[in-house]
Amino acid sequence: SQTIHQWPATLVQPVGSPLSLECTVEGTSNPNLYWYRQAAGRGLQLLFYSVGIGQISSEVPQNLSASRPQDRQFILSSKKLLLSDSGFYLCAWSTNYREDGYTFGSGTRLTVV
Amino acid sequence: QKEVEQNSGPLSVPEGAIASLNCTYSDRGSQSFFWYRQYSGKSPELIMFIYSNGDKEDGRFTAQLNKASQYVSLLIRDSQPSDSATYLCAVNSLTTDSWGKLQFGAGTQVVVTP
């Protein structure tokens, strides 16, 4: 069966510090991968998605970047965090079948102080 | 801009009653429809999907789809306190510019009161 791992679960970082969040998927190959952010009490905002190694599409221009160095690994990064980067970050994966939904990781709660 | 609209709630439902959640979408090319449940502080989990017009039942959950009206709903029968969560509607479109990405609504908060 497929599983998705996301870490760390919580993170408190000072403004201006770098960020690296990692997500890995097991039990499938060539998944579509996504990074979402959810601000407190708000909906899901798609940040990045990837259909293959090295293929990253950005939905919202911002202080973040994403990379996919391996087929089942997706990394979200920032060189300098802003207060506005605080939120709940979710990684998700899906198959290439549009009839399938997304499966989300457990999320990382980031607080920038 | 393709949109998925939900009432934000909170929707207060007595224990044992039926919770009715509504979702409308703007893209007529939408083909797949999903309901996710998100407990406070947790990630969303898929609870229902529906592709065809009509009703689809799974345990206490029933999803209803009306493509002509661009409307999808979720019914929760015999609501339990454990059903208290935010329910997200998600829609998948086949139009090329959306690539098949899910469009999420902002969610409806459901509170089941004992």
Side-chain angles (χ1 to χ4, degrees):
Chain A
S1 64
Q2 301 89 357
T3 55
I4 179 169
H5 302 281
Q6 189 179 343
W7 66 93
T10 59
L11 197 56
V12 180
Q13 293 284 97
V15 170
S17 65
L19 173 73
S20 181
L21 303 180
E22 189 164 342
C23 171
T24 59
V25 180
E26 295 179 355
T28 188
S29 60
N30 196 31
N32 299 323
L33 297 171
Y34 313 85
W35 278 112
Y36 281 85
R37 178 171 61 198
Q38 188 174 39
R42 305 292 295 274
L44 295 171
Q45 179 187 31
L46 179 62
L47 303 176
F48 301 95
Y49 65 92
S50 172
V51 299
I53 296 174
Q55 301 178 63
I56 308 295
S57 295
S58 173
E59 285 290 297
V60 181
Q62 57 202 326
N63 187 40
L64 302 170
S65 63
S67 62
R68 184 170 177 172
Q70 300 180 42
D71 181 44
R72 290 169 290 178
Q73 183 185 30
F74 206 21
I75 298 172
L76 182 69
S77 303
S78 174
K79 292 182 179 178
K80 290 185 177 181
L81 285 169
L82 306 172
L83 286 174
S84 58
D85 291 324
S86 294
F88 191 39
Y89 287 81
L90 292 158
C91 180
W93 78 274
S94 73
T95 67
N96 287 319
Y97 295 99
R98 291 171 172 173
E99 295 77 15
D100 291 342
Y102 294 177
T103 301
F104 287 89
S106 54
T108 295
R109 187 158 307 280
L110 171 67
T111 304
V112 182
V113 296
Chain B
Q1 177 72 19
K2 301 177 178 61
E3 294 183 350
V4 178
E5 302 282 348
Q6 296 181 254
N7 292 327
S8 61
L11 177 65
S12 184
V13 181
E15 185 174 356
I18 296 175
S20 179
L21 290 73
N22 302 320
C23 173
T24 60
Y25 57 94
S26 62
D27 183 7
R28 287 195 172 275
S30 300
Q31 296 291 322
S32 309
F33 307 86
F34 306 88
W35 284 100
Y36 285 82
R37 177 176 61 199
Q38 186 176 22
Y39 292 114
S40 180
K42 302 296 184 181
S43 62
E45 58 176 323
L46 181 64
I47 57 172
M48 287 287 289
F49 60 89
I50 187 167
Y51 310 139
S52 304
N53 280 327
D55 295 359
K56 179 181 178 182
E57 186 175 317
D58 184 0
R60 295 186 296 110
F61 298 101
T62 298
Q64 300 174 317
L65 175 61
N66 184 325
K67 290 185 179 180
S69 300
Q70 296 176 244
Y71 177 96
V72 58
S73 65
L74 179 70
L75 301 177
I76 307 174
R77 293 183 301 280
D78 187 23
S79 295
Q80 301 297 309
S82 59
D83 296 324
S84 297
T86 296
Y87 290 80
L88 305 173
C89 173
V91 175
N92 197 343
S93 172
L94 292 181
T95 56
T96 52
D97 66 337
S98 70
W99 171 76
K101 292 178 290 186
L102 289 185
Q103 301 289 335
F104 284 89
T108 298
Q109 184 185 6
V110 173
V111 179
V112 180
T113 56

